[in-house]
Amino acid sequence: MATTVAPVASPQARPPGYYVRQRLLRNTPAMLGLGFIVLCTLVALLGYWVLPDNSPNANNGLVQLQKEAPGFSATLLRLPAADTARRPASWLGTWWQGQPVQYREVPIARYRIQGDSLYTQPYQNHSALADKPQAYALTAVVGRAGPAAELAREAAEEHITSRTYWLGTDKAGRDELSRLLLGTRVSLGIGLVAVLISVLLGMLIGAVAGYVGGWVDSLLLGLMTVVWSIPGIMLVIAISLALDSKGVWTSFVAVGLTMWVDVARVVRGQMLSLREKTFVEAGRVLGLPQSRLIWRHLLPNMTGPLIVLATSNFAAAILLEAGLSFLGLGVQPPAPSWGLMVNEGFQLLGTEAGLWLTLLPGLAISLLVLSFNLLGNGLRDAYDPKTPLG
């Protein structure tokens, strides 16, 4: 009797991207780094909606609460603010610039309501001068007239609040947690802009140098060597001084203009090895223009190395921005920048508050840079076909 042999199923063909994703998903350190980056990105996008202090730049400082330890709680009396001119014109302004200051807050130690007045004992900490007891009319606290009992209940329920400063306050009495969270916008923003500038400029110069060759390659390679030999922080300072401006966007551009050399060198090397391939020779025979050969056929073959290099440049840009802000050449006060916050804490070293005011933003910088480095290492292994899937 003849036996029937079942056909052997051929393995399913998978695109190369499938194996890249599988290697990356099985790399635990890289996924932890990616998770922290995604968390910081969500905080940066949500912005003022997730901050305990959603005033512009999280800059609502109370001198009575300066340099308080993490976990400190305070009782605050909210009084109508005299200046409400900073009211945003739309929800977009609220999202990007923060809520307008509609109240001014006064820290109090205790209070009592008697008749039509609210009597308070101001809060005094280790670095504030003692204030005299204050008396406020209930109509001034609530902002409207009405029966005394109703005004007293509204004042106690809505205008006297308790707030916990989970990471303490800085030397200006500002919420350290809010400024740390808002600082993710500056760090991720400068990293994104710097990477875009460096990748676009590096791809352009590297592709031209590697594909054209000859004296053009020698000239551009000499330019890369000169720029690469200058320390990054010194080059950023020189560009910032040349632009004769300080601020967020100056830092973005200056950092981006110093990081294109690594991209250009990688693209040039890849271009030198790819320009002799058969598919490039076929494109030349078909009469394709050089620009199309470079942008449509050669550069897409460098996606893996460019993605790995972009993550590395992202981490380097965050460190450069922190260094610039620490030196006073980057983001300017009162905008929250982690480097600027480290500088503010550094000035207080030797005091009780100096340790955590320096440690917290420094830890935030270290964790974000470490996350990008872990992700970059994971992407490097994922794009390596010799890396096993198991």
Side-chain angles (χ1 to χ4, degrees), residues 195-217:
V195 165
L196 289 177
I197 293 175
S198 64
V199 168
L200 293 177
L201 187 59
M203 286 173 59
L204 176 62
I205 296 178
V208 172
Y211 187 83
V212 176
W215 67 270
V216 175
D217 182 27

Side-chain angles (χ1 to χ4, degrees), residues 285-296:
V285 172
L286 292 174
L288 296 179
Q290 291 186 357
S291 59
R292 182 170 181 179
L293 279 174
I294 293 174
W295 296 104
R296 296 289 299 275

